[in-house]
C-alpha cells in the first residue's frame, strides 16, 4: 500500500474545515482592501526561482526541479512571490497591482514538526509602488488576518535591508568581519562567509549564532533615504496600534529583499517552527526577472504553522460541518433523492443514506451526522404524499407534513433557531 511521500500529508475532513475557515478569513480581510486572487502555474522555468538567491538554501538544496519531455528545465514553486512577479512582468497590469494567493509550496527540507516538503501559504503582493505606506498596509493586513483568526500571542519583528546599495555595502562590511572570525564559525557556514555573508546571519547553527551576535548591524549602514523610509513604516504601525520590535539581525531566508523585512512569530512555539509568516519589500525582483523596474512588497503566511499556533492558543475552533437535515427513505430511494435535492436547491443543507438500508441503520447515520432535523419517508408517507419531520435534538418530537409544505416548514424551523 502506498503512503503520502515523506514530508507531505493529507488534509482530510474535519481538519480541512478549519483550513476552509482560515482561507475564508484571509480572502475576506485581504479582499476588503482591494486585493484580487491570482492563480498561476505551480511550476515555472527554473530561472524564475533561481532569482531567490544563489546562496539561499531554497535554491541550492531544496528545489524540486525536473526536465520535462520537451527538455525544459522546470521547478515546482518553493514560494509564491517569484511567480507573481513573473506574471506581473508578462501581463503588465495597471499599478499598483494588489493580489493575493493560496498555494502549496515545495521545499526539500528535513521534515519535522511544522516543517514540510509541501507546505501551504496564503500571501499577498502589491507591485508597482515604492510608497512605504504600502509596506504599512500589507503588514497591517497580515496582522489583522491573525487577529481575526483569534491569535493574540504573536510578536512582530521588523528590520530594513536598506536600498540595494546599502545592502551591498553592508554585505561587504560583514564579509570582511566574518573573514576575521572564519575559524570560529560552524564549518557548514564557512563557505558562505565570503560570497553570501547575509546567509551566515540567518544560520541557526549554535556556533555561528554565538559568533554573529556581535556582528555589525545593517541598521548602521542605512542611507538617509532608507532610514527615512523605515521611520515612515514605524510611524504607520504606531498609528495603527500594531506593536513590533526592531531586529537588525532579521535577514530572512530569501535574497530579494530591500528595505522593510518582517516576520510574525508565535510565542507558544519553538523557534524552529514559530514563524507564522514573513514578508518584505523586493524592489529589484521584477527587473532581475527581465521586466521593467517595478518595486513590490508582500508577505506569505504558512497555513500549517498558523494552525499549530491556533492549537496552542485554543483559537480557530473546528467549524461544524454538519448538514441541517438528514433524509431517511425506506421506500427505495426515489423520495430520498428528490427531497435532498429539493432542499439543497432551496438553500438548505441536507444529506441522505444510500444502499437502501433499514430504518434503524439509516437513523443511526442520521444521528451521527449531527443534523438537527430528519425527514422520514416510509410506505405510509409514500402512500399519503407526506413526510415525517422529526427533531433529532429535542428528544424526537415529530409531525407529518404534506410533501409540498416540506421546504417551507423546514426553513421556518431552522430560522426559528
Ligand atoms: P518564507 O519566510 O520563506 O517567505 O515563507 C513564508 C512562511 O511560510 C513562513 O513564515 C512559514 O510560516 C511558512 N513556511 C516556510 N517554509 C515552510 C515549511 N517547510 N513548512 C511549513 N511552513 C513553511 C516566503 O516564502 C516569501 N515568498 C514571503 C514574501 C511574500 N515576501 C514577500 N512577499
Amino acid at each position: 500500500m502506498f503512503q503520502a511521500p515523506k514530508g507531505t500529508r493529507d488534509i482530510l475532513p474535519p481538519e480541512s474545515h478549519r483550513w476552509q475557515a482560515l482561507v475564508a478569513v484571509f480572502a475576506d480581510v485581504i479582499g476588503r482592501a482591494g486585493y484580487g486572487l491570482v492563480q498561476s502555474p505551480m511550476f515555472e522555468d527554473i530561472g524564475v526561482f533561481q532569482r531567490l538567491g544563489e546562496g539561499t538554501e531554497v535554491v541550492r538544496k531544496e528545489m524540486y526541479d525536473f526536465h520535462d519531455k520537451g527538455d525544459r528545465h522546470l521547478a515546482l514553486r518553493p514560494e509564491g512571490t517569484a511567480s507573481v512577479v513573473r506574471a506581473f512582468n508578462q501581463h503588465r497590469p495597471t499599478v499598483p497591482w494588489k493580489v493575493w494567493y493560496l498555494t502549496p509550496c515545495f521545499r526539500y527540507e528535513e521534515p519535522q514538526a511544522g516543517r514540510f516538503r509541501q507546505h501551504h501559504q496564503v500571501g499577498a503582493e502589491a507591485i508597482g509602488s515604492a510608497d512605504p505606506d504600502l509596506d504599512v498596509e500589507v503588514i497591517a493586513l497580515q496582522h489583522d488576518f491573525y487577529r481575526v483568526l483569534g491569535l493574540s500571542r504573536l510578536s512582530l519583528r521588523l528590520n530594513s535591508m536598506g536600498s540595494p546599495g546599502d545592502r551591498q555595502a553592508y554585505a561587504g562590511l560583514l564579509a570582511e568581519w566574518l573573514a576575521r572570525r572564519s575559524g570560529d564559525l560552524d564549518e557548514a557556514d564557512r563557505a558562505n562567509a565570503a560570497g553570501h555573508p547575509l546567509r551566515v546571519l540567518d544560520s541557526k547553527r549554535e556556533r555561528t549564532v554565538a559568533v554573529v551576535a556581535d556582528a555589525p548591524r545593517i541598521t548602521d549602514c542605512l542611507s538617509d533615504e532608507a532610514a527615512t523610509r523605515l521611520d515612515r513604516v514605524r510611524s504607520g504601525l504606531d498609528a495603527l496600534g500594531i506593536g513590533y520590535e526592531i531586529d537588525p539581525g532579521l535577514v530572512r531566508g530569501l535574497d530579494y529583499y530591500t528595505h522593510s523585512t518582517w516576520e510574525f512569530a508565535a510565542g507558544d512555539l519553538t523557534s524552529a517552527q514559530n514563524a507564522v509568516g514573513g514578508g518584505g519589500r523586493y524592489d529589484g525582483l521584477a527587473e532581475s526577472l527581465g521586466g521593467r523596474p517595478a518595486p513590490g512588497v508582500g508577505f506569505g503566511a504558512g497555513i500549517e504553522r498558523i494552525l499549530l499556533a491556533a492549537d496552542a492558543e485554543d483559537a480557530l475552533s473546528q467549524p461544524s460541518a454538519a448538514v441541517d437535515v438528514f433524509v431517511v427513505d425506506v421506500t427505495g430511494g426515489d423520495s430520498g433523492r428528490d427531497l435532498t435535492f429539493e432542499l439543497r436547491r432551496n438553500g438548505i443543507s441536507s444529506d441522505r443514506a444510500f444502499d437502501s438500508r433499514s430504518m434503524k441503520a439509516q437513523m443511526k447515520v442520521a444521528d451521527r451526522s449531527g443534523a438537527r432535523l430528519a425527514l422520514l419517508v416510509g410506505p405510509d408517507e409514500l402512500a399519503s404524499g407526506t413526510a415525517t419531520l422529526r427533531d433529532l435534538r429535542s428528544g424526537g418530537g415529530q409531525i407529518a407534513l404534506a410533501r409540498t409544505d416540506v421546504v417551507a416548514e423546514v426553513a421556518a424551523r431552522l430560522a426559528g433557531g
Side-chain angles (χ1 to χ4, degrees), residues 79 81 107 109 114 116 121 125 252 256-257 275 277 298-299 302:
E79 59 103 57
T81 312
R107 301 182 188 182
E109 301 202 67
F116 300 95
Q121 289 186 19
E125 314 291 347
R252 310 225 341 103
Y256 50 57
Y257 292 112
F299 67 86

Side-chain angles (χ1 to χ4, degrees), residues 159-160 170 173 215-223 248:
N159 191 19
S160 170
Y170 175 61
L173 187 74
R217 301 300 192 165
I218 178 84
T219 26
D220 301 330
C221 293
L222 293 185
S223 55

Side-chain angles (χ1 to χ4, degrees), residues 23 26-27 30-31 35-38 98-102 122-125:
V23 173
F26 190 79
I30 211 81
Y35 290 67
L37 176 67
V38 154
K98 306 209 299 184
V99 294
W100 70 274
Y101 49 85
L102 161 66
V122 285
E125 314 291 347

Side-chain angles (χ1 to χ4, degrees), residues 52 58 78-82 101 105 107 109 114-121 123-125 146 252-254 256-257 262-264 273-282 297-306:
L52 303 179
V58 170
E79 59 103 57
T81 312
Y101 49 85
C105 298
R107 301 182 188 182
E109 301 202 67
R115 191 169 294 278
F116 300 95
R117 290 187 174 166
Q118 175 176 337
H119 73 275
H120 299 79
Q121 289 186 19
E125 314 291 347
Y146 298 131
R252 310 225 341 103
L254 305 165
Y256 50 57
Y257 292 112
W262 65 88
E263 214 157 82
F264 283 87
Q273 59 180 73
N274 69 356
V276 292
R281 192 164 260 294
Y282 43 85
V297 63
F299 67 86
I303 296 181
E304 289 85 354
R305 301 279 181 89
I306 295 171

Side-chain angles (χ1 to χ4, degrees), residues 71-139:
D71 208 28
R72 297 170 193 90
H73 194 182
L74 303 168
L76 298 184
R77 105 175 7 151
E79 59 103 57
T81 312
S83 302
V84 169
V85 175
R86 194 271 308 141
F88 173 86
N89 284 346
Q90 185 174 336
H91 303 287
R92 301 179 175 209
T94 325
V95 296
W97 196 48
K98 306 209 299 184
V99 294
W100 70 274
Y101 49 85
L102 161 66
T103 183
C105 298
F106 306 88
R107 301 182 188 182
Y108 192 82
E109 301 202 67
E110 215 28 70
Q112 50 178 288
R115 191 169 294 278
F116 300 95
R117 290 187 174 166
Q118 175 176 337
H119 73 275
H120 299 79
Q121 289 186 19
V122 285
E125 314 291 347
I127 306 177
S129 165
D131 190 335
D133 284 4
L134 205 47
D135 305 30
V136 175
E137 170 164 301
V138 293
I139 297 171

